[in-house]
C-alpha cells in the first residue's frame, strides 16, 4: 500500500477506507511538501462559505462536512498558516467560484482540535471503530493543508458520523481576526 499515491486520488477517502484500514496512513505524512503528519494537539480550520455551509440562522449545516465521505474535507493546520495566507486562499476560492457562476461569500471559519475528531468512535459490541482519519496533504503552495476522511462506509452510518463531526467543530463560523488575534494576546 502506498499512502502517498492514495492521497493523489480524486476519491481519496474511499481509497483509504478500502486500502488503508484503521487510519494507518495518518501515522506518516502523505505529502512530500509536509512539515509533519497531523498531530493530536493541532487546531484544524475549515473555511465556511454561504449559502452551501450555513443555514438561515448562520449555523453550520451538515453539508459543510460532506466532503469527508469521498474526496476529503479540506482543512488547514493552524500552526502552519497565517491570517494573510488564509485570507489569500479564501479570496482565490471565491474568485474561482465566481468564474464558475457560483455566487458565494465566506462566512468565516470553523475550528476543531484534531484529538477531538480522532476521538469520535462508533461502538459495536466489544469494539470501537474510529469515524475519521486526518491526513497531512500539504501541497507545494500550502504546507498547512490536511484532509479529514470518513473511516466508515455506508450511507446511514456516514451521515451519522458527519453529524458527530459537525458537533466537534464550532457551531457558528467566526472571523479570521478573532481566530488569529487571540494568539497574539498569549
Amino acid at each position: 500500500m502506498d499512502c502517498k499515491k492514495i492521497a493523489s486520488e480524486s476519491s481519496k477517502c474511499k481509497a483509504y477506507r478500502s486500502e488503508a484500514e484503521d487510519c494507518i496512513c495518518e501515522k506518516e505524512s502523505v505529502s512530500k511538501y509536509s512539515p509533519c503528519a497531523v498531530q493530536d494537539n493541532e487546531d484544524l480550520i475549515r473555511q465556511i462559505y454561504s449559502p452551501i455551509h450555513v443555514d438561515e440562522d448562520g449555523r453550520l449545516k451538515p453539508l459543510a462536512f460532506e466532503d469527508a465521505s469521498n474526496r476529503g474535507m479540506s482543512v488547514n493546520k493552524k500552526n502552519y498558516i497565517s491570517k494573510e495566507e488564509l485570507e489569500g486562499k479564501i479570496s482565490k476560492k471565491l474568485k474561482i467560484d465566481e468564474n464558475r457562476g457560483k455566487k458565494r461569500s465566506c462566512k468565516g471559519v470553523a475550528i476543531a482540535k484534531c484529538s477531538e475528531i480522532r476521538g469520535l468512535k462508533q461502538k459495536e459490541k466489544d469494539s470501537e471503530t474510529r469515524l475519521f482519519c486526518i491526513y497531512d496533504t500539504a501541497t507545494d503552495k500550502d504546507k498547512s493543508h490536511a484532509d479529514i476522511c470518513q473511516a466508515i462506509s455506508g450511507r446511514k452510518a456516514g451521515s451519522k458520523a458527519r453529524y458527530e463531526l459537525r458537533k466537534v467543530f464550532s457551531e457558528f463560523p467566526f472571523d479570521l481576526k478573532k481566530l488569529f488575534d487571540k494568539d497574539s494576546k498569549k
Side-chain angles (χ1 to χ4, degrees):
M1 158 194 43
D2 185 343
C3 294
K4 285 183 170 82
K5 183 177 180 204
I6 295 172
S8 65
E9 293 185 23
S10 62
S11 298
K12 68 178 77 95
C13 293
K14 193 174 186 180
Y16 279 124
R17 277 194 300 275
S18 65
E19 298 175 38
E21 294 180 1
D22 300 323
C23 302
I24 192 73
C25 288
E26 74 176 6
K27 293 178 181 11
E28 63 183 84
S29 175
V30 297
S31 167
K32 69 180 182 179
Y33 302 107
S34 170
C36 63
V38 183
Q39 305 299 306
D40 276 346
N41 65 346
E42 291 190 77
D43 289 323
L44 302 175
I45 302 167
R46 173 74 167 158
Q47 298 167 32
I48 303 299
Y49 295 93
S50 175
I52 58 173
H53 293 155
V54 291
D55 66 18
E56 53 279 346
D57 296 324
R59 284 186 179 84
L60 297 180
K61 295 195 301 193
L63 192 57
F65 306 97
E66 186 69 26
D67 289 344
S69 65
N70 192 24
R71 65 184 213 172
M73 188 181 106
S74 290
V75 292
N76 296 96
K77 298 163 58 174
K78 186 174 181 281
N79 290 343
Y80 296 97
I81 194 164
S82 70
K83 178 182 163 206
E84 295 74 23
E85 289 169 319
L86 194 49
E87 287 171 334
K89 291 179 74 47
I90 290 168
S91 179
K92 185 177 178 181
K93 164 95 169 100
L94 290 172
K95 189 71 160 167
I96 290 168
D97 285 349
E98 183 181 324
N99 291 340
R100 292 179 179 163
K102 297 177 181 177
K103 185 162 175 41
R104 295 190 177 144
S105 63
C106 182
K107 291 300 182 186
V109 296
I111 192 164
K113 184 72 75 183
C114 177
S115 60
E116 291 179 24
I117 297 167
R118 286 180 173 154
L120 294 173
K121 298 188 175 162
Q122 176 181 6
K123 296 175 184 172
E124 294 179 8
K125 297 181 184 175
D126 298 329
S127 67
E128 291 184 328
T129 303
R130 286 216 4 231
L131 297 178
F132 297 95
C133 307
I134 304 168
Y135 303 105
D136 184 37
T137 52
T139 67
D140 60 338
K141 293 182 172 112
D142 185 0
K143 68 181 179 183
S144 74
H145 193 270
D147 278 299
I148 298 173
C149 285
Q150 185 178 300
I152 60 169
S153 54
R155 189 176 186 165
K156 189 174 181 179
S159 180
K160 186 177 177 184
R162 291 187 303 278
Y163 175 77
E164 293 302 315
L165 180 62
R166 184 176 116 195
K167 292 190 319 189
V168 171
F169 276 86
S170 46
E171 182 180 7
F172 292 92
F174 52 93
D175 69 39
L176 300 180
K177 185 173 178 8
K178 183 177 177 182
L179 175 67
F180 286 94
D181 285 353
K182 75 175 188 177
D183 290 337
S184 63
K185 295 176 185 170
K186 289 182 179 177

